[in-house]
Amino acid sequence: MSTYAFILGRKNQLSIAELCAVLGKQDKIIEINAETLIADLSEPLTNPQHSLNRLGGVIKIVELISELPVSAPRDRIALEISAHLFQKFKDHETKFKYGISAYSLPQKPEQFLNRILNLVKKSLTADGLKSRFINKNFNNLENAAIKGEKLLAEGSEIVIIQGRSKYFIGETVALQDFENYSKRDFDRPARDAKLGMLPPKLAQILINLAGLTSLQEPIKSTIYDPFVGVGTIPTEALLLGFKVIGSDISSVIIEKSRKNIDWTIKEFNISQPDLRLFAKDATTLITHDLPEKVDAIVTESYLGPPQAILPSPGDMAKIFSNITSIVTGFFQAIHPILKPGTPVIITFPAYRDKGRFHFIEDLPYAIEQLGFSAITMISEEIINNNSLRTFERKSLIYDRPDQVVGREIWKFIRK
């Protein structure tokens, strides 16, 4: 077993669900806390950066090197870290750079790290090593700083995680490629605010929630997106190695999607992409439209028109009624085409109203009446073992505080 910590993204419930979906049957989750998921993997990650590039909801992968009881004084933690850095850099003739970040603490990281950073620096100097820590004002390191200082290649980032009964200490072995995600999001040639702007990281999470991916193995499955929009889910699926089918009601939309997909294929050197796009109303799909075996449907349904302010109750009811008609029509059409057990990952609008959300309350139950089962994406065992706060519904939420329209994410299985 090799033990790793996965530093979770902003929407940590989504990150946890994604990891639960991609971890293998032989992998064991040790602990989940506010900012991390720690797991024993049956096989070490052969290429941690490649594995992280497949996870939209994880910021860092940390390989654990030691554990200490949570009662251990900071001097003991500093000694553990300096011993590791000494072994790694003892033959280093020039000054090396490092940093330390701490997660899931009851206090601010800078209050915890101040003494540890100074003690590690003092210990390394006493051992005759020239070093410099890059923590600014004793805060956790930003990904941009880690990349800019080339810490993963030439230095080290040490991570301390406070668990329920122990400190986990490790070294960062992979960092989220924020520049790559930004390029895939903002440099695409075709954009359309009316069709929604699904972030590539979220598209990746949605694909992984289908349960067909792993941290290391190649993908040989087929994903279908019936509301393809500007092509974010198909492009991310191609990058993950899937065969992809996509459709939308308008041939104009299909051309926008194709333009973005062709750009991605060229920019990111996707070899032999297996892709088919066609124009079709998703509520009128028939078996002839999908002669291939579909292993999963991953899609962003129509979220309604863009909203700068919360719609009035009457307008919201009309929007939700229209979306209900489209979505139930799609599920009714796709049911006879899919094989039993096929997963469907789909988003619905969640209108943010200060501290609460407005959902299409009965839509999931209408879908279940059409021959599908709603599935919880984090198991009850994991929730109970880690005292996770969960949502009343079986869905997960992706939203931003400055946006009215968030996303409610559901997983259904064809009965």
Side-chain angles (χ1 to χ4, degrees), residues 116-267:
I116 291 175
L117 281 161
N118 284 311
L119 286 170
V120 170
K121 171 69 174 176
K122 184 177 179 180
S123 177
L124 292 172
T125 301
D127 288 332
L129 293 183
K130 299 176 181 178
S131 66
R132 177 172 70 88
F133 63 78
I134 69 165
N135 294 71
K136 186 176 181 180
N137 298 324
F138 304 103
N139 286 308
N140 281 353
L141 301 184
E142 298 286 344
N143 278 17
I146 297 170
K147 182 172 182 178
E149 296 284 357
K150 301 179 181 179
L151 283 198
L152 268 58
E154 301 175 3
S156 176
E157 185 199 27
I158 300 297
V159 168
I160 305 165
I161 300 161
Q162 183 170 333
R164 288 189 291 269
S165 62
K166 61 183 71 173
Y167 288 115
F168 299 92
I169 301 173
E171 185 170 21
T172 301
V173 292
L175 191 70
Q176 189 179 77
D177 191 346
F178 56 92
E179 291 180 343
N180 207 318
Y181 281 116
S182 180
K183 179 181 177 70
R184 276 145 51 191
D185 194 2
F186 298 109
D187 290 0
R188 292 180 291 178
R191 297 174 65 82
D192 191 330
K194 292 182 180 180
L195 296 176
M197 295 298 196
L198 182 67
K201 283 193 286 189
L202 179 57
Q204 212 171 35
I205 292 171
L206 297 179
I207 294 164
N208 287 331
L209 288 175
L212 301 177
T213 49
S214 76
L215 287 173
Q216 304 192 81
E217 296 175 2
I219 304 304
K220 296 182 180 178
S221 304
T222 300
I223 279 181
Y224 171 47
D225 180 357
F227 301 96
V228 80
V230 294
T232 307
I233 288 173
T235 55
E236 293 303 314
L238 287 172
L239 286 164
L240 288 169
F242 283 97
K243 298 177 182 178
V244 177
I245 307 168
S247 67
D248 212 303
I249 193 169
S250 163
S251 58
V252 174
I253 295 174
I254 289 296
E255 284 308 307
K256 287 185 177 183
S257 178
R258 189 181 301 279
K259 190 174 183 179
N260 284 334
I261 292 170
D262 288 345
W263 176 86
T264 305
I265 290 169
K266 181 180 179 181
E267 288 291 320

Side-chain angles (χ1 to χ4, degrees), residues 357-401:
F357 290 97
H358 296 274
F359 304 112
I360 310 180
E361 294 287 348
D362 296 330
L363 181 53
Y365 312 106
I367 291 168
E368 289 189 303
Q369 296 303 309
L370 295 172
F372 295 83
S373 298
I375 303 296
T376 302
M377 287 169 276
I378 304 175
S379 72
E380 289 294 329
E381 180 182 6
I382 290 173
I383 290 169
N384 294 332
N385 288 348
N386 296 279
S387 302
L388 299 180
R389 291 184 178 181
T390 55
F391 199 36
E392 292 180 3
R393 293 154 73 86
K394 291 182 178 179
S395 57
L396 295 167
I397 294 292
Y398 179 89
D399 70 309
R400 292 187 177 279

Side-chain angles (χ1 to χ4, degrees), residues 194 302-307 319 351 405:
K194 292 182 180 180
Y302 177 53
L303 300 181
Q307 304 290 342
I319 293 168
Y351 284 179
V405 184

